[in-house]
Amino acid sequence: MILEPKASRKSPAGRAAGLPVEHETAGDATRVVVIVPHLTRRGGGEEGLRRSPEARLDEAIGLVLAIDLKLVGSALVGLSQVRPATYLGSGKVEEIAELVKAEEAGLVFVDAPLSPVQQRNLEKAFAAKVIDRTALILEIFGQRARTKEGVLQVELAHLNYQRSRLVRSWTHLERQRGGFGFLGGPGETQIEADRRLIGERIVKIERELEQVKRTRALHRASRKKVPYPVVALVGYTNAGKSTLFNRLTRSDVMAQDLLFATLDPTLRAVQLPTGDKVILSDTVGFISDLPTQLVAAFRATLEEVIEADLILHVRDMSHEDADAQAHDVKGVLSDLDIDPEDDHRVIEVWNKIDRLEPEARAGLFNTAARREGDARPIPVSALTGEGMEPLLATISQRLSRERVSLAIDLDAADGGNLSWLYRHSEVLERREDGEGRLHLAVRVPPDRAEQIERRFGARRIKGTGEGG
Ligand SMILES: Nc1nc2c(ncn2[C@@H]2O[C@H](COP(=O)(O)OP(=O)(O)OP(=O)(O)O)[C@@H](O)[C@H]2O)c(=O)[nH]1
Ligand SMILES: [Mg+2]
């Protein structure tokens, strides 16, 4: 039959759907079966790029392994159409029920958007808890959240998800330490609460988040006074953003083969080879079908990206679905009102080239070289460090070009204005003539340029891209 329990990529052959040893978790972890339904007959229209079912299964397994669940079975389930009552066909439902029973699974992850009715019917049929993709992603985010802001954002997303469904979820799963714990624990009461209570809680969290946002805006404002541009890393989860961040900043942010390893944004100053400083920001990874509630809730976190001067779109070019992933990332960027095709602002970083066979690698370099100017991607390996020089050079060149150089004349005795300029701009040149006048050349982001022009009657200097 089409239901073939699938082993994860690393597990040895033998017992179907075995758990890779390195992921073995505590004995009392919830036992989970992963089901990836895929439509065998395509619906009309092209909704994005197709992924291989195997890669989807891999990702689904990655998601359950991202939190502390024990994988005991997995299957790709082909279906010709979605059944309103159970999503899957009745034959498949029975087969899965047997697998669940045999493996004593307490949880079934169905990698699809299930309606509350489908979820409930499947739970009855499997005699186990059933969660869909959104719920699992929310769960992972809940366990990852560390900062107050992160916790609030995830809770808000989760409440919105519940409100849209109003079904019990997770209450059968006791035990779970750490993290936010929608898996039983304090979350339960909310899960059972009625719409009104959820609504009240949402209002309260939104208010708290407003406060967090204000604080963050203040931080950002004070950082903006320091005239360093912000470079944000974005990309599909596991693309290598944190590894690249660590390499560029020589720091030690958690980077591992784990989906959603990073949740809270990290910022760090980096000095470019030209001597210019930039603030690099590492952020949460994206994934296909990222719950809309999450994107909305994480807007505050992603504001670092929204406001960034430059965005590095990090892509895992060794992944078979690299194109589909890029498509998804661009979708999220668009949701954030960032034009993903804006080559002035977005640079594609083609990562993990060390994993490619020589031929594929040569092909990739060729493809990159054929793209015009600003649209040209930079092939790198964050792991080996290959490609860092061209990447850094591109960043400096792009940033200096976007910034505006201004010539300013000041009274040499005007210490107040002079120190203001040192605080709010990058002073490239300073010369005092014999007649009590100071002549300065400064560099600033475009939005600051107008302010300085008005305040000092400054003149733009042409062709100073490399000034400094
Ligand atoms: N071979 C190879 N592996 C890499 C490279 N860059 C990252 N990795 C590996 O890919 C995995 C994911 O890397 P991360 O840096 O955590 O990825 P991320 O994009 O930050 O992921 P999330 O925070 O989960 O969104 C880790 O196991 C890295 O060691 C690379 O250039 N080559
Ligand atoms: Mg990361």
Side-chain angles (χ1 to χ4, degrees):
M1 289 285 303
I2 313 168
L3 179 80
E4 13 159 349
K6 269 258 175 182
S8 133
R9 55 233 126 135
K10 283 174 209 135
S11 62
R15 186 160 155 256
L19 187 71
V21 176
E22 70 254 45
H23 289 301
E24 202 73 55
T25 46
D28 63 343
T30 302
R31 296 166 69 82
V32 59
V33 165
V34 172
I35 301 297
V36 175
H38 66 102
L39 285 168
T40 47
R41 212 186 46 203
R42 291 203 42 185
E46 38 79 65
E47 8 106 9
L49 296 144
R50 286 277 137 178
R51 286 155 196 275
S52 81
E54 287 73 24
R56 282 194 46 212
L57 181 60
D58 257 13
E59 182 174 284
I61 290 172
L63 284 172
V64 306
L65 296 179
I67 47 175
D68 169 21
L69 296 170
K70 185 172 167 67
L71 179 69
V72 294
S74 62
L76 268 176
V77 179
L79 68 159
S80 54
Q81 67 184 89
V82 170
R83 304 294 161 91
T86 51
Y87 200 91
L88 309 163
S90 54
K92 298 291 156 38
V93 171
E94 269 170 40
E95 280 178 64
I96 296 166
E98 271 163 37
L99 180 66
V100 169
K101 196 171 171 205
E103 295 293 346
E104 294 173 3
L107 180 67
V108 180
F109 166 42
V110 181
D111 190 9
L114 296 179
S115 72
V117 169
Q118 288 164 344
Q119 182 189 4
R120 238 175 323 216
N121 288 336
L122 287 176
E123 285 185 343
K124 264 185 231 148
F126 298 157
K129 196 75 211 143
V130 170
I131 51 166
D132 69 358
R133 186 175 176 90
T134 297
L136 181 59
I137 293 175
L138 286 171
E139 182 60 35
I140 298 169
F141 275 61
Q143 288 203 1
R144 289 279 185 284
R146 286 289 169 270
T147 61
K148 180 168 185 226
E149 180 181 14
V151 171
L152 287 172
Q153 289 177 134
V154 178
E155 188 176 359
L156 180 62
H158 199 255
L159 287 168
N160 277 316
Y161 174 71
Q162 282 172 26
R163 184 161 66 171
S164 72
R165 301 170 68 85
L166 275 183
V167 290
R168 278 158 39 107
S169 60
W170 291 112
T171 46
H172 302 161
L173 302 163
E174 305 95 65
R175 63 108 250 146
Q176 200 65 226
R177 1 153 268 265
F180 191 74
F182 295 117
L183 292 164
E188 284 180 29
T189 47
Q190 295 151 18
I191 289 160
E192 312 238 287
D194 63 27
R195 190 178 288 270
R196 189 179 56 84
L197 282 177
I198 291 179
E200 279 170 11
R201 181 88 186 121
I202 286 175
V203 170
K204 185 160 176 288
I205 292 178
E206 277 174 346
R207 218 172 285 144
E208 282 184 61
L209 265 176
E210 214 32 65
Q211 186 54 46
V212 175
K213 258 186 222 170
R214 266 197 294 277
T215 317
R216 198 179 251 292
L218 281 178
H219 285 163
R220 202 163 31 237
S222 65
R223 200 168 61 235
K224 272 200 161 171
K225 284 192 196 133
V226 182
Y228 301 148
V230 174
V231 179
L233 298 170
V234 302
Y236 207 81
T237 181
N238 224 41
K241 299 176 293 298
S242 298
T243 309
L244 184 62
F245 180 88
N246 288 341
R247 180 161 286 280
L248 293 176
T249 62
R250 291 178 200 85
S251 53
D252 201 12
V253 169
M254 171 160 105
Q256 45 177 295
D257 192 5
L258 184 74
L259 298 189
F260 299 119
T262 308
L263 191 59
D264 297 308
T266 314
L267 301 167
R268 207 142 299 167
V270 189
Q271 186 149 23
L272 299 174
T274 48
D276 296 323
K277 276 207 183 128
V278 301
I279 307 273
L280 197 64
S281 106
D282 184 18
T283 42
V284 56
F286 303 159
I287 195 165
S288 68
D289 307 312
L290 194 65
T292 49
Q293 293 96 340
L294 264 185
V295 180
F298 273 72
R299 245 193 117 83
T301 298
L302 291 168
E303 249 148 47
E304 300 299 345
V305 177
I306 297 170
E307 306 227 332
D309 296 86
L310 206 57
I311 293 170
L312 304 184
H313 175 185
V314 181
R315 298 181 53 188
D316 174 357
M317 298 310 284
S318 71
H319 197 283
E320 63 174 313
D321 289 335
D323 288 340
Q325 294 184 340
H327 181 87
D328 290 328
V329 169
K330 289 177 184 181
V332 179
L333 289 178
S334 301
D335 285 349
L336 296 171
D337 300 317
I338 295 166
D339 174 7
E341 309 298 341
D342 179 357
D343 296 327
H344 290 297
R345 197 160 165 229
V346 184
I347 300 176
E348 278 199 19
V349 180
W350 285 4
N351 193 30
K352 303 202 188 180
I353 54 170
D354 59 287
R355 297 190 67 195
L356 300 175
E357 300 294 334
E359 216 167 284
R361 184 191 150 90
L364 188 126
F365 269 86
N366 256 327
T367 311
R370 270 201 305 274
R371 297 231 189 129
E372 295 289 324
D374 281 355
R376 183 167 301 164
I378 321 278
V380 304
S381 165
L383 198 70
T384 66
E386 185 183 357
M388 291 305 125
E389 271 174 41
L391 175 61
L392 288 168
T394 306
I395 295 173
S396 324
Q397 180 231 350
R398 201 65 73 79
L399 285 173
S400 60
R401 199 182 57 197
E402 301 302 326
R403 310 188 104 207
V404 178
S405 296
L406 298 167
I408 298 168
D409 298 332
L410 275 188
D411 195 333
D414 189 355
N417 271 324
L418 185 61
S419 73
W420 188 94
L421 280 169
Y422 270 98
R423 269 182 287 124
H424 295 90
S425 74
E426 203 182 337
V427 177
L428 303 172
E429 208 180 287
R430 171 182 175 176
R431 185 172 52 83
E432 197 172 339
D433 61 21
E435 293 144 36
R437 299 290 290 171
L438 264 182
H439 304 282
L440 300 161
V442 304
R443 190 162 63 184
V444 286
D447 56 342
R448 164 97 11 106
E450 279 175 35
Q451 182 194 5
I452 294 188
E453 279 174 312
R454 272 198 311 273
R455 179 165 174 163
F456 296 94
R459 303 174 308 278
R460 298 205 176 207
I461 309 171
K462 292 229 169 70
T464 48
E466 293 305 322

